Amino acid sequence: MIMITNSLPSSAAEKWLYGLLVPFIYVVVEFSFNHRLITALDETVSDAVLENLEFWGRLIAGVGLGLMIHRLLLKVSSYRFLSLVAALSLGIVLMWHLQQSLINYFVELADPKDKRAAVLLNASATRLLNEQFKTLKNLIVPPVAIGASIALALLNLCAVLAFLIGRMESRLQTPMLFFLFGSCVYYSLSRAHNFLDSPGFQNALAPGLWSSNLALAIVVEWACRASSAWGDVSALVHHYMAFDFDFGQGV
């Protein structure tokens, strides 16, 4: 009898829970963390803050990846809760090791002058060139964390919107997910950025960065432009929906 019950189609309530509520809560947390990350970097970059940002960044990004894995598992499993737990666990493990591998790779291979390009994460970050911001990991961790944070926030936001569209026409849900995410990526990368578009960066830093370390160049480009493009949204979500939660920064 239990096996028969578990094989039945999911109830409407479960679809709304896992298709809308859970990812929506994640989007709020991820946008809020993205804003807190940027403001924390603008205030201080002590080792303690950096380590805490690393922890939260990997954990939250891992949850976001897990939610996307969960959507795939739902196509082959009717055990929604168990598949969610398994997907979140897998997502956190994968994202944890992925970000650490990227950080290690950039630290080992990037030229010192190219690492400096990772410093300015958005136009408002005015303190990132002071004496506190001088270690190699400080130059690499922020763009990796911000890049992953905003990418997964947008992906899950698009999944929420696609789910709502799918309630009206189920065949449109998957195509709309790809269309919406592609549109968000295009919008993010097409936005102007004071530092990236400045003559100083374009003439002095950009050529060497793109020729010597393509991966770091892509991460810096995405982190800068995307965080700038969605900065106002992140700030509003963080203030009005997350009530300025500081993610344990204490600053």
Side-chain angles (χ1 to χ4, degrees), residues 44-60:
T44 181
V45 284
S46 66
D47 290 340
V49 170
L50 187 65
E51 291 176 1
N52 204 55
L53 290 174
E54 279 192 271
F55 171 79
W56 278 101
R58 295 181 191 182
L59 179 63
I60 297 173

Side-chain angles (χ1 to χ4, degrees), residues 2 5 18 34 36 81 83-84 87 91 97 101 118 123 125 162-164 186 197 228 233:
I2 295 178
T5 301
Y18 293 104
N34 183 259
R36 186 66 189 98
F81 179 74
S83 64
L84 176 62
H97 290 289
S101 296
F163 172 82
L164 293 175
Y186 174 79
D197 297 327
S228 178
V233 174

Side-chain angles (χ1 to χ4, degrees), residues 134-162:
K134 58 188 178 182
T135 65
L136 287 182
K137 283 197 77 176
N138 281 6
L139 299 173
I140 300 300
V141 170
V144 171
I146 286 181
S149 171
I150 196 67
L152 287 165
L154 293 176
L155 186 58
N156 279 276
L157 174 62
C158 293
V160 168
L161 297 176

Side-chain angles (χ1 to χ4, degrees), residues 15-142:
K15 289 182 178 180
W16 284 94
L17 174 64
Y18 293 104
L20 179 64
L21 183 59
V22 172
F24 178 77
I25 292 174
Y26 169 79
V27 169
V28 171
V29 173
E30 188 67 274
F31 269 124
S32 300
F33 173 72
N34 183 259
H35 179 253
R36 186 66 189 98
L37 177 59
I38 294 174
T39 57
L41 291 173
D42 199 24
E43 297 164 358
T44 181
V45 284
S46 66
D47 290 340
V49 170
L50 187 65
E51 291 176 1
N52 204 55
L53 290 174
E54 279 192 271
F55 171 79
W56 278 101
R58 295 181 191 182
L59 179 63
I60 297 173
V63 171
L65 178 60
L67 289 176
M68 301 313 300
I69 296 175
H70 180 239
R71 290 180 176 274
L72 298 177
L73 291 179
L74 289 180
K75 298 181 182 298
V76 297
S77 173
S78 59
Y79 296 89
R80 289 180 173 265
F81 179 74
L82 291 178
S83 64
L84 176 62
V85 173
L88 293 180
S89 301
L90 179 60
I92 291 172
V93 171
L94 290 177
M95 186 57 65
W96 195 278
H97 290 289
L98 175 60
Q99 289 200 26
Q100 186 60 53
S101 296
L102 283 175
I103 292 169
N104 291 339
Y105 170 76
F106 292 151
V107 168
E108 291 174 2
L109 297 184
D111 293 332
K113 66 177 182 179
D114 295 334
K115 290 166 183 172
R116 288 289 166 185
V119 172
L120 295 180
L121 300 175
N122 59 33
S124 66
T126 57
R127 301 185 185 178
L128 297 183
L129 289 175
N130 63 16
E131 290 300 318
Q132 299 175 12
F133 205 75
K134 58 188 178 182
T135 65
L136 287 182
K137 283 197 77 176
N138 281 6
L139 299 173
I140 300 300
V141 170

